[in-house]
Amino acid sequence: MTERTLRRVAILGGSRIPFCRSNTQYQDLSNLDMLTAALNGLADRYQLAGLEIDEVGAGAVISHSKDWNLAREAVLSSKLSPLTTAYTVQMACGTSLQAAVQLGAKIATGQIDSAIAAGTDTTSDAPIVFGARFAKRLIKLANAKSLGERFAAFKGFRPGELKPASPNAGEPRTRMSMGQHCEIMAKQWGISREAQDRLAWESHQKGARALAEGFFDDLIVPCAGVSRDNHLRPDSTLEKLASLKPAFDKESGKGTLTAGNSTPLTDGASSVLLASEDWAAKRGLPVQAYLTFAKTASVDFVAGEGLLMAPTIAVARLLKDAGLTLQDFDFYEIHEAFAAQVLCTLRAWESDQYCRERLGLPGALGSIDPAKLNVNGSSLAFGHPFAATGGRVLATLAKLLHQRGSGRGLISICTAGGMGIAAILEKP
């Protein structure tokens, strides 16, 4: 392969539809509907209608079998040129950030000049399927060549076989939900209910302030008559949060995770435009920030590690690659799957023992300035449509750096399956 100089990966901006709690305003929309709306929002904002983008990488976590070609179908339904190539990617809650990293690598090496990373998710339109026994009967029925074979397909049938198998976001290997896993983490790290509630309350306050100041005006495009995220609670109070009952540990009397300090099931979609500097310049589009480093990591949660602790490892490796310290950032975007997850992550980085024994470092990474954390709110305020969160975070951080005029931001996202993904954005 011919040697070539790596190019800088420019982030030009993003567009998303409002995030809505599941089974509310988007209950009649599919992943395809929402992803198409997010792509159209990006096309309108950056004059991409009819334009052939080199590649689109997008995906969903909860999807129907018919969505196997989701990214391409969304492109064909959008204002982008039908000549635009698209592929579907899935990395749980890190899906759209992973798509951006993959596409960014292609831009850096000169394989492509333009790309869109996107994600969508809905649990309002979750796939409801029959159990394996009845499903096999239907397959036999479809392949039957005679009346006798059709009757034979239902030999021994019991009405109970008609009970649908509902989708389950729990971990297949532990039979536990993400919230149950995070509850264990909170106990292991000694994270108090009060600290979780305060982080959740602050997220809503920051998000409401940013919304009122117009920060999201050019990042959110209306969809299905909705113009703002419907989970945001500017009137939330610490007293209201304190009154909520535990949501995952309801028996021990020691549960601390509630509906108020955990993200709700959410529907939504997001998209981000990436490009080479030359491509951006030719179209007269300013570069908001550059995607400079990224790293993934995983933990053995089946053997007892905290399910959502992988970002602590990814960030440590990322800092080593970049030659930076944890304090060398102007903004920190740590995905708020649960308030406890964020607080466990921060405490782990402050722990000399954890950093030495688990991360292989000479000492603790240290603490961060809380004033720089999720400054415009995060998932606790806006909701978390799994595959769409990375795109929301990327677009938010890129705009923050663009407004500041210079600086550096760190992204940390935990995912199902005990994985994590981290990235650095910079504005020279």
Side-chain angles (χ1 to χ4, degrees):
M1 185 174 181
T2 304
E3 266 190 39
R4 62 178 72 186
T5 303
L6 291 179
R7 304 186 298 181
R8 295 203 289 186
V9 180
I11 296 179
L12 308 185
S15 177
R16 68 176 177 90
I17 63 174
F19 290 176
C20 292
R21 293 177 68 100
S22 292
N23 299 308
T24 59
Q25 279 94 328
Y26 294 161
Q27 61 183 338
D28 295 324
L29 300 186
S30 66
N31 276 323
L32 179 60
D33 295 329
M34 294 189 298
L35 183 56
T36 300
L39 292 177
N40 281 338
L42 201 67
D44 289 341
R45 182 180 174 195
Y46 293 101
Q47 296 79 52
L48 306 178
L51 186 68
E52 179 184 349
I53 298 297
D54 288 334
E55 286 192 9
V56 172
V61 176
I62 307 295
S63 61
H64 293 264
S65 58
K66 63 181 173 59
D67 292 332
W68 62 274
N69 205 22
L70 178 63
R72 174 62 174 162
E73 290 300 324
V75 164
L76 292 174
S77 300
S78 75
K79 298 177 182 180
L80 298 173
S81 166
L83 303 180
T84 297
T85 298
Y87 68 95
T88 301
V89 60
Q90 210 262 60
M91 188 189 168
C93 312
T95 295
S96 45
L97 180 55
Q98 178 66 277
V101 171
Q102 292 177 352
L103 294 165
K106 288 189 174 185
I107 291 172
T109 55
Q111 296 178 60
I112 60 176
D113 292 307
S114 60
I116 294 173
T120 180
D121 255 303
T122 172
T123 50
S124 298
D125 183 36
I128 305 297
V129 299
F130 290 112
R133 189 176 181 85
F134 189 71
K136 288 178 180 178
R137 292 186 186 281
L138 294 178
I139 293 174
K140 288 181 180 179
L141 180 65
N143 293 327
K145 294 182 171 58
S146 67
L147 184 61
E149 289 180 349
R150 291 189 183 96
F151 279 116
F154 286 90
K155 183 179 180 180
F157 169 76
R158 296 289 184 273
E161 295 177 26
L162 294 174
K163 182 180 179 181
S166 300
N168 189 333
E171 292 295 333
R173 295 183 179 275
T174 63
R175 304 296 182 183
M176 293 169 58
S177 70
M178 191 176 288
Q180 290 172 317
H181 273 285
C182 195
E183 184 73 72
I184 294 173
M185 288 166 46
K187 290 179 173 67
Q188 289 174 335
W189 287 96
I191 306 299
S192 71
R193 165 74 181 269
E194 292 74 21
Q196 295 175 54
D197 286 348
R198 177 164 289 278
L199 184 69
W201 176 77
E202 289 175 348
S203 186
H204 282 277
Q205 296 304 304
K206 293 173 184 176
R209 174 191 49 74
L211 184 69
E213 292 175 353
F215 179 85
F216 297 109
D217 287 356
D218 59 353
L219 292 178
I220 298 179
V221 59
C223 177
V226 183
S227 59
R228 57 160 286 175
D229 307 302
N230 76 354
H231 178 63
L232 188 61
R233 297 287 183 269
D235 59 346
S236 175
T237 66
L238 289 172
E239 290 73 24
K240 288 180 181 178
L241 290 170
S243 69
L244 299 176
K245 296 179 180 180
F248 302 102
D249 178 2
K250 303 176 182 180
E251 306 297 333
S252 73
K254 298 179 181 179
T256 58
L257 273 70
T258 70
N261 57 40
S262 308
T263 53
L265 292 175
T266 315
D267 305 335
S270 68
S271 60
V272 179
L273 179 62
L274 302 93
S276 66
E277 291 177 291
D278 287 344
W279 190 92
K282 287 177 182 177
R283 299 196 61 80
L285 299 174
V287 175
Q288 292 194 346
Y290 295 94
L291 175 59
T292 56
F293 292 90
K295 208 77 174 179
T296 59
S298 296
V299 294
D300 190 354
F301 68 96
V302 180
E305 285 194 274
L307 176 73
L308 306 179
M309 295 300 288
T312 64
I313 304 164
V315 167
R317 294 173 179 173
L318 186 70
L319 295 175
K320 182 179 179 181
D321 286 353
L324 298 170
T325 71
L326 185 60
Q327 292 71 38
D328 290 336
F329 296 90
D330 301 287
F331 301 106
Y332 300 85
E333 288 287 332
I334 302 180
H335 161 47
E336 298 169 344
F338 305 89
Q341 190 280 331
V342 177
L343 295 169
C344 286
T345 294
L346 296 177
R347 188 157 293 181
W349 287 335
E350 294 168 353
S351 168
D352 188 76
Q353 180 180 1
Y354 182 83
C355 289
R356 286 179 184 275
E357 296 180 0
R358 184 60 183 88
L359 304 184
L361 301 173
L365 286 172
S367 59
I368 67 172
D369 182 351
K372 298 178 180 180
L373 173 64
N374 297 340
V375 297
N376 283 342
S378 189
S379 304
L380 287 168
F382 306 122
H384 172 39
F386 308 123
T389 288
R392 175 190 65 78
V393 172
L394 266 176
T396 296
L397 182 54
K399 182 173 179 178
L400 282 169
L401 291 170
H402 187 56
Q403 286 185 335
R404 190 176 186 275
S406 64
R408 184 184 293 121
L410 175 67
I411 297 173
S412 169
I413 296 179
C414 60
T415 89
M419 301 182 292
I421 182 167
I424 294 174
L425 299 192
E426 298 184 72
K427 177 79 171 181

